């Protein structure tokens, strides 16, 4: 599913240091979200499944077979960075190309949430999965802005940057189902939490 709700902006504040270079703080925010809901009528050999259930889960606990069901999906992603940069004054490689090297520190925060649910419409029983992923990092950046000059009034910029980041990531997983069982519902739950160092 595509992300129809997207927000993106980058803003910053800088100060010049006696024509030797610039100090700046720059913040980037990028967020996307989407949700979808569909209802399916009863059909023979129709199977509406909840994705992302643990491997080995019985098939009758992860979806609805041959019955009317309603499926719902939601996901949200947010990415943001905070950069503290020092950039030198422009120096010229040729009359048409100028470079402005920079370096600094980056703080990174990334989160993603996904949720999927299937409900059997005859009795209201459902299966649900929710996952959360978070990534936090800190590191250094090195790069340069490149200014291409075509004429006195026409030019454009490009950017080259590399970074080394270190931090951690966490993953949280929750699932529930009472879809199983023919006479009485069989309730099953799963819950996992993981944390990894990363670089």
């Amino acid at each position: 599913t595509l992300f129809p709700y997207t927000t993106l902006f980058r803003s910053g504040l800088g100060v010049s240091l006696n024509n030797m270079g610039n100090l700046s703080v720059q913040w980037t925010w990028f967020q996307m979200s989407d949700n979808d809901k569909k209802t399916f009528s009863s059909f023979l050999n129709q199977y509406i499944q909840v994705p992302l259930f643990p491997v080995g889960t019985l098939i009758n606990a992860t979806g609805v077979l041959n019955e009317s069901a309603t499926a719902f999906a939601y996901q949200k992603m947010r990415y943001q960075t905070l950069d503290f940069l020092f950039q030198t004054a422009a120096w010229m490689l040729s009359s048409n190309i100028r470079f402005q090297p920079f370096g600094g520190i980056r703080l990174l925060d990334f989160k993603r949430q996904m949720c999927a649910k299937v409900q059997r419409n005859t009795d209201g029983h459902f299966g649900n999965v929710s996952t959360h992923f978070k990534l936090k990092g800190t590191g250094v950046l090195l790069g340069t802005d490149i200014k291409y000059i075509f004429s006195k009034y026409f030019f454009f910029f490009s950017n080259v940057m590399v970074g080394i980041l270190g931090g951690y990531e966490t993953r949280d997983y929750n699932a529930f189902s009472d879809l199983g069982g023919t006479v009485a519902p069989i309730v099953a739950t799963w819950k996992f939490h993981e944390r990894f160092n990363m670089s």
Side-chain angles (χ1 to χ4, degrees):
T1 304
L2 297 177
F3 289 91
Y5 310 109
T6 303
T7 304
L8 170 63
F9 68 86
R10 180 172 175 86
S11 61
L13 180 65
V15 59
S16 177
L17 303 177
N18 297 324
N19 293 323
M20 296 296 295
N22 303 307
L23 282 176
S24 66
V25 177
Q26 301 177 22
W27 180 35
T28 300
W29 174 280
F30 180 44
Q31 179 172 297
M32 300 186 297
S33 63
D34 189 19
N35 63 83
D36 195 12
K37 182 179 181 181
K38 292 183 179 179
T39 299
F40 301 87
S41 302
S42 176
F43 284 99
L44 186 63
N45 296 325
Q46 171 182 263
Y47 182 63
I48 310 299
Q49 184 181 23
V50 186
L52 302 177
F53 263 97
V55 175
T57 304
L58 295 177
I59 192 170
N60 64 347
T62 63
V64 176
L65 178 65
N66 298 333
E67 296 186 69
S68 173
T70 298
F72 173 80
Y74 168 82
Q75 61 176 328
K76 181 179 181 179
M77 184 178 72
R78 187 186 73 191
Y79 170 86
Q80 60 179 335
T81 60
L82 184 64
D83 297 335
F84 301 90
L85 298 176
F86 174 76
Q87 186 167 35
T88 65
W91 57 273
M92 187 180 301
L93 180 64
S94 69
S95 60
N96 296 323
I97 300 178
R98 297 181 182 181
F99 289 80
Q100 278 189 274
F102 62 83
I105 298 173
R106 165 165 289 185
L107 306 178
L108 168 69
D109 180 74
F110 174 81
K111 294 180 180 179
R112 185 174 188 183
Q113 176 185 2
M114 294 186 293
C115 178
K117 178 180 178 181
V118 170
Q119 177 177 303
R120 190 162 51 218
N121 294 333
T122 54
D123 54 18
H125 293 168
F126 66 92
N128 183 79
V129 172
S130 177
T131 65
H132 298 262
F133 175 82
K134 180 167 62 176
L135 178 65
K136 286 185 176 292
T138 306
V140 295
L141 300 176
L142 295 173
T144 183
D145 288 334
I146 307 171
K147 183 178 182 180
Y148 305 89
I149 303 172
F150 294 95
S151 68
K152 183 177 180 181
Y153 301 105
F154 180 70
F155 59 86
F156 70 89
F157 283 93
S158 64
N159 177 279
V160 177
M161 179 177 64
V162 295
I164 301 174
L165 298 177
Y168 68 92
E169 62 180 78
T170 60
R171 300 175 184 176
D172 290 279
Y173 175 93
N174 292 277
F176 170 87
S177 175
D178 63 0
L179 292 170
T182 55
V183 179
I186 298 175
V187 177
T189 60
W190 298 266
K191 187 174 184 179
F192 304 105
H193 173 77
E194 299 175 308
R195 177 184 169 113
F196 307 94
N197 293 325
M198 70 96 186
S199 62

